[in-house]
Amino acid sequence: MDSLLATELKPESARALLKALADPLRLRIIETLAEGERCVCDLTSDLELAQSKLSFHLRVLKDAGLLSQRLSGRWVYYRLEPGAIEELRSWLGAVQQRCEKTAPPCC
C-alpha cells in the first residue's frame, strides 16, 4: 500500500531526522522538551551543558525541523515541532507495515 507514505516524508528528510536524533545528548534535549517549551537558560542548567555546546545541538535539531524557537525579550524558548514528530512516526509506521510483507514464491 504505497499510500502509507501520505506524509510525503522523503527518504532524505527521514535520514536528516534520524541523524539528528542519533546523538544521545540530542535525545536528552528531545526528552526534556517533551515536557513542554523551555527557555534556553533552563535547558543549559537542567542538562548541565555549556551554552555553546547546547546551542550547537539545538541548531542541529532546529535545522532538522524537530524544534521551533520563540524570542521573548533577551530569552529564546524552544519547543518540539509536533508535525515533524508525526511525519517521522508515520514514516516509521509505513516502513513497519512494508517490512511485514511476505516474499513472493521463488521460481
Side-chain angles (χ1 to χ4, degrees):
M1 182 171 169
D2 291 336
S3 65
L4 290 174
L5 296 177
T7 60
E8 300 297 324
L9 185 62
K10 300 197 181 326
E12 57 273 7
S13 297
R15 281 191 294 274
L17 289 171
L18 292 170
K19 183 177 179 181
L21 293 171
D23 183 274
L25 182 53
R26 290 194 287 268
L27 281 178
R28 285 181 51 212
I29 293 168
I30 293 291
E31 290 168 349
T32 301
L33 292 174
E35 302 296 321
E37 182 181 70
R38 302 290 295 276
C39 175
V40 73
C41 62
D42 290 333
L43 290 171
T44 303
S45 174
D46 292 349
L47 297 170
E48 298 177 351
L49 293 173
Q51 173 74 37
S52 59
K53 187 171 187 174
L54 177 62
S55 292
F56 169 79
H57 290 288
L58 288 169
R59 188 180 77 242
V60 171
L61 292 167
K62 188 171 179 278
D63 289 348
L66 289 162
L67 301 182
S68 61
Q69 70 181 37
R70 173 179 68 85
L71 297 174
S72 179
R74 66 183 196 124
W75 300 112
V76 180
Y77 292 83
Y78 287 90
R79 69 174 38 190
L80 294 177
E81 273 298 323
I85 295 168
E86 176 58 28
E87 283 182 338
L88 185 56
R89 188 198 65 76
S90 295
W91 181 81
L92 287 169
V95 169
Q96 177 188 16
Q97 287 185 356
R98 287 194 317 265
C99 76
E100 294 171 355
K101 291 181 182 178
T102 56
C106 291
C107 302

